[in-house]
Amino acid sequence: MKTNAHKRQVLKYVVCKLIAQAALFVSLVALVIVMVFVLLRGVPHINMQFLFGEYSIRAPSIKPALMGTLYLIVISLVVAAPIGIGSAIFLAEYTNSKSRLVRLIRIAVETLAGIPSIVYGIFGYLVFVVALGFGYSFIGGGLTLAIMILPVIVRSTEESLLAVPRSLREGSFALGSSKVRTIFSVVLPCAANGIVTSLILAVGRVVSESAVLILTIGMVVDIVPKNFTSAGTSLALAVYGFSQRYPEQAAATGAVLLVLVVAINILATLLGKVFGKGELVDG
């Protein structure tokens, strides 16, 4: 009986392993197909005029989209990073993790993380574009994106802070350090890996977002924005805008966006390894 039961367990293990491997293979094949298709269609149309030249009807350029994307990254991170990291510090260091308030806050954060981006876009349109009178502008789009990436930063930063061993905090307190000094001198440096990674991944989401921006910054693809109060476009919106008249340029913009997102994810991984090695050396 034991032998038959053991054989059944082994068979179940093998079947589950094969199913998992097949699912992984299908996912990788789909990813490779999408990436190769976009790159093959888009890379031949990428040149200096397309990237940094002045926009014209005969020779469209993504210079306005690149500038707009940079504006959105700056605004969203300047607003979301301090609030997100500060909120995570409060939750991890100054509250009881089993209290009802903390559980409610975490449920709220999880709920915000699961809301579709178009809902954030409607909120940004009604609040920043209409109610506050910003109109279609990067400041309205950046603030909306900051609200959207806030849950990502809070969750990742809190998990990184909670992963810091309690013994490090106790050792700092034993040496006479205050709570604040312990947090900024011991806890945050040890959690820098997760914090930096969360910020970079948040940048990746800002770069690839489109639904929010259609309702908050408009779609001005041919004018380089002058300041944060200007209307404009981003790389993700430029793909949609070009697709209606310039399919080759749309594919090229998609290739640029794809390379940028992949580079952001690789950068997050590399920085995570660098900070991780630093923590091991310090330890």
Side-chain angles (χ1 to χ4, degrees), residues 88-192:
I89 292 174
F90 173 77
L91 291 174
E93 303 294 331
Y94 289 99
T95 61
N96 181 2
S97 59
K98 296 182 180 180
S99 68
R100 181 176 299 178
L101 174 62
V102 173
R103 289 201 299 268
L104 290 175
I105 293 175
R106 285 175 178 159
I107 291 174
V109 171
E110 295 289 340
T111 303
L112 287 174
I115 294 177
S117 59
I118 191 64
V119 176
Y120 285 104
I122 294 173
F123 170 82
Y125 174 78
L126 295 177
V127 175
F128 300 118
V129 177
V130 178
L132 297 181
F134 291 164
Y136 289 113
S137 64
F138 285 103
I139 188 67
L143 291 174
T144 308
L145 288 174
I147 298 173
M148 189 181 69
I149 65 175
L150 194 58
V152 177
I153 298 176
V154 172
R155 289 191 305 172
S156 300
T157 303
E158 184 186 6
E159 291 174 359
S160 300
L161 294 174
L162 293 175
V164 177
R166 184 69 184 176
S167 59
L168 295 179
R169 297 177 176 85
E170 294 173 351
S172 179
F173 293 147
L175 294 174
S177 297
S178 63
K179 180 78 170 180
V180 174
R181 185 169 184 179
T182 298
I183 292 173
F184 284 93
S185 300
V186 178
V187 179
L188 286 180
C190 291

Side-chain angles (χ1 to χ4, degrees), residues 62 64-69 72 138 213 217-223 225 231-239 241:
I62 61 170
L66 290 173
M67 291 297 299
T69 301
L72 292 171
F138 285 103
L213 302 178
I217 71 172
M219 196 184 296
V220 183
V221 300
D222 57 343
I223 299 177
T233 188
S234 67
L235 285 173
L237 285 183
V239 174

Side-chain angles (χ1 to χ4, degrees), residues 10 21 33 37 45 57 71 75 83 89 132 140 144 148 154 165 171 173 175 184 209 213 229 234-236 241 254 260:
V10 172
Q21 290 176 341
I33 290 175
F37 178 81
H45 303 286
I57 297 178
Y71 282 0
I75 296 172
I83 297 176
I89 292 174
L132 297 181
T144 308
M148 189 181 69
V154 172
F173 293 147
L175 294 174
F184 284 93
E209 185 55 50
L213 302 178
T229 61
S234 67
L235 285 173
L260 185 59

